[in-house]
Amino acid sequence: MSLTRRLLFPTLPSTSPLPPILTFDLSEDDPTLVELNRELYDFLALALRAFVQSWWGQITPRDRDLMPQITRVVTHVIQDIERRASRVDLSDLILRQVPTLVDLHLSDYRIAAMRMDMAFTNTSPPTIQGLFHMLQPHVAIQTDQEPGGPIISQIYLRQLVENILRLSLPPEDWKSEAERCAVREIVACVVLGNMFKKLSQPWFFHQTVLGLLKPSSPAQPESKESLARFHVPSVQVLVIFVLSAMQTISSLALTIISTFQYLVALTHAANRAYERRKSTQRKSISESVTSLSSSIEGGTDTALEATSGPEASEDILAPSLKLAGNLVQADSRLPITATLLLLRLSSRLCQPWFERLIPFMLSRIISPASLTTAIQAGKRALFPNDGWPGPAPVEPTVEEQLLLREQLESRLGELFQRT
């Protein structure tokens, strides 16, 4: 019997399937959805065994009710988050709100860097990080922590998870302080604490990007014999050159045709998804109007809000292009400014197509398969010792961090030179 059934569902018959956590509006028999729910339960079972059962079993060895109760609470919270996330416009979040916040953060960072020479702080010498947090303080950031300590405050993470539980849990589960405390500590300290501790370090990004980029293959110079062989043109060389050129042109034409067919099929699929989404919205609006009219007929005092017509939508790629221009400081570079201007004009012309294509692509990216891969990576990172937490990885030294940055810069330079 698997750990999930022994720990989380001790009374469930072995022939009965596990209840699904996430649905994604798919069938319960969908293979990718079944795999995702299995990985979620496995991750939850490993976390409960490592951080709850290890001490709870010593207090009450025969108790088998706490783990299923915590599982039920976590499942309810995840399902509530899924319902709330399904109502979020991902394209607006990823392409408008997030780039705008990152752009503001970058501008504030550059302002802090400009004020380095005029800074008067208690630390000697002042740092950009300290000056930035002095100008833009955040309650979640700990600037006076010990070396190697958490940068994100665990008190803030606990309060964040506490508020999520308060909004997601039903009243009867919210009143159970023991279950709420166990869930809060697992999510805040184990999952979010370890995740933010790594994400807040620049060397972690450098190491991750270097791992994703393929190593550069050493260029093999042509031998002198091969160069001498083609030095003097002949009929055979000309025939080979013509045939190679024809093959290259035909391959390019086939690539263009296949790309065009793929874009056409993708556009049709995006249009169908857009129509389904619009029909669902119209149905929900009609149901809201029906319930509103019934409440008015019943004599219920209801405040009517005037809904304005749809305004002209802003360019969906404008915040991202603005962020890209701010990153490369396009104001002082005329070619980049011209390129960004052409991209803005193109995105504005293709705005109706992007409004349908981008949400469809995001829905394909955030899929059960991608979430399964992310959960598996999280399990390997948090429970490396055969399903048990491992020791904290040794952070690279300052010299190793600088070496990682130099390797990443040189690798990116090679890629840009090839393109």
Side-chain angles (χ1 to χ4, degrees):
M1 186 180 294
S2 63
L3 177 65
T4 300
R5 290 184 177 273
R6 285 189 285 108
L7 191 63
L8 307 184
F9 299 96
T11 60
L12 185 69
S14 58
T15 56
S16 301
L18 297 176
I21 302 179
L22 299 176
T23 59
F24 282 94
D25 295 332
L26 299 174
S27 173
E28 294 185 2
D29 299 332
D30 188 89
T32 57
L33 187 63
V34 172
E35 180 68 16
L36 172 61
N37 288 318
R38 188 183 68 82
E39 291 293 337
L40 272 175
Y41 277 125
D42 194 19
F43 183 88
L44 181 59
L46 292 175
L48 291 179
R49 183 184 67 174
F51 301 104
V52 178
Q53 183 66 21
S54 58
W55 57 267
W56 181 254
Q58 298 177 4
I59 300 175
T60 55
R62 297 183 179 180
D63 181 76
R64 304 179 66 185
D65 296 332
L66 181 62
M67 302 301 124
Q69 289 297 324
I70 295 178
T71 303
R72 185 180 60 83
V73 171
V74 173
T75 301
H76 185 86
V77 172
I78 294 176
Q79 291 173 349
D80 183 74
I81 292 175
E82 182 193 9
R83 285 192 296 269
R84 293 173 183 268
S86 63
R87 298 192 293 266
V88 175
D89 188 359
L90 290 178
S91 58
D92 181 74
L93 175 65
I94 296 176
L95 297 177
R96 286 197 178 100
Q97 298 182 21
V98 172
T100 301
L101 292 176
V102 175
D103 189 26
L104 292 174
H105 181 83
L106 181 62
S107 300
D108 293 338
Y109 179 82
R110 286 178 175 165
I111 291 174
M114 291 172 59
R115 295 184 179 180
M116 277 290 294
D117 297 333
M118 301 178 293
F120 295 95
T121 60
N122 295 329
T123 60
S124 179
T127 60
I128 297 180
Q129 291 83 357
L131 184 58
F132 178 84
H133 291 300
M134 185 184 299
L135 296 174
Q136 299 287 343
H138 196 283
V139 294
I141 306 298
Q142 298 182 150
T143 57
D144 55 349
Q145 81 280 6
E146 299 178 357
I151 296 179
I152 308 298
S153 172
Q154 291 188 351
I155 299 176
Y156 178 84
L157 293 178
R158 288 190 180 100
Q159 192 65 31
L160 176 65
V161 176
E162 187 87 5
N163 290 331
I164 294 175
L165 294 178
R166 179 174 55 83
L167 294 174
S168 301
L169 291 179
E172 58 272 13
D173 290 328
W174 172 255
K175 294 178 181 178
S176 178
E177 187 175 357
E179 296 178 7
R180 191 173 75 242
C181 180
V183 173
R184 182 192 64 200
E185 293 301 314
I186 291 173
V187 176
C189 300
V190 177
V191 180
L192 296 181
N194 292 326
M195 181 180 68
F196 283 122
K197 185 177 180 180
K198 286 188 175 181
L199 292 179
S200 59
Q201 300 295 334
W203 63 264
F204 179 75
F205 282 99
H206 300 160
Q207 193 177 56
T208 303
V209 176
L210 275 176
L212 294 176
L213 295 177
K214 296 181 180 179
S216 58
S217 57
Q220 298 180 355
E222 297 186 15
S223 61
K224 295 182 179 180
E225 296 179 358
S226 61
L227 293 175
R229 183 175 56 188
F230 294 102
H231 182 68
V232 180
S234 61
V235 177
Q236 183 180 3
V237 173
L238 292 177
V239 171
I240 293 175
F241 175 76
V242 171
L243 293 178
S244 301
M246 292 176 61
Q247 183 180 6
T248 303
I249 294 173
S250 62
S251 300
L252 180 61
L254 290 175
T255 303
I256 293 174
I257 292 173
S258 61
T259 303
F260 178 75
Q261 292 176 348
Y262 174 75
L263 288 177
V264 170
L266 194 64
T267 303
H268 288 327
N271 288 333
R272 289 193 295 268
Y274 179 80
E275 294 299 330
R276 287 196 299 268
R277 189 166 62 252
K278 285 298 181 182
S279 63
T280 305
Q281 291 178 358
R282 286 193 293 267
K283 183 179 179 181
S284 62
I285 291 174
S286 63
E287 291 177 354
S288 301
V289 171
T290 304
S291 62
L292 180 62
S293 61
S294 62
S295 63
I296 292 176
E297 291 176 359
T300 306
D301 295 334
T302 307
L304 298 178
E305 296 181 358
T307 58
S308 58
E311 300 178 356
S313 59
E314 184 190 356
D315 187 2
I316 194 172
L317 296 180
S320 301
L321 293 176
K322 182 182 177 183
L323 173 61
N326 196 5
L327 281 173
V328 298
Q329 297 180 350
D331 295 337
S332 58
R333 301 176 181 179
L334 183 59
I336 298 179
T337 304
T339 303
L340 290 176
L341 179 60
L342 290 176
L343 290 176
R344 288 193 183 98
L345 292 176
S346 302
S347 65
R348 194 62 182 175
L349 291 175
C350 301
Q351 176 76 4
W353 185 56
F354 283 145
E355 286 181 349
R356 301 188 178 200
L357 180 64
I358 291 178
F360 176 72
M361 294 299 296
L362 290 176
S363 64
R364 293 183 62 177
I365 293 173
I366 306 176
S367 61
S370 61
L371 291 179
T372 301
T373 304
I375 294 173
Q376 290 173 349
K379 283 198 310 182
R380 290 192 297 268
L382 294 177
F383 309 102
N385 294 337
D386 195 18
W388 291 92
V394 179
E395 294 187 2
T397 61
V398 178
E399 292 78 9
E400 292 174 345
Q401 294 179 19
L402 293 176
L403 182 60
L404 283 174
R405 179 174 178 176
E406 292 177 358
Q407 291 176 354
L408 179 60
E409 290 177 351
S410 61
R411 185 72 186 100
L412 291 176
E414 293 176 2
L415 292 177
F416 281 117
Q417 287 178 1
R418 291 181 181 180
T419 56

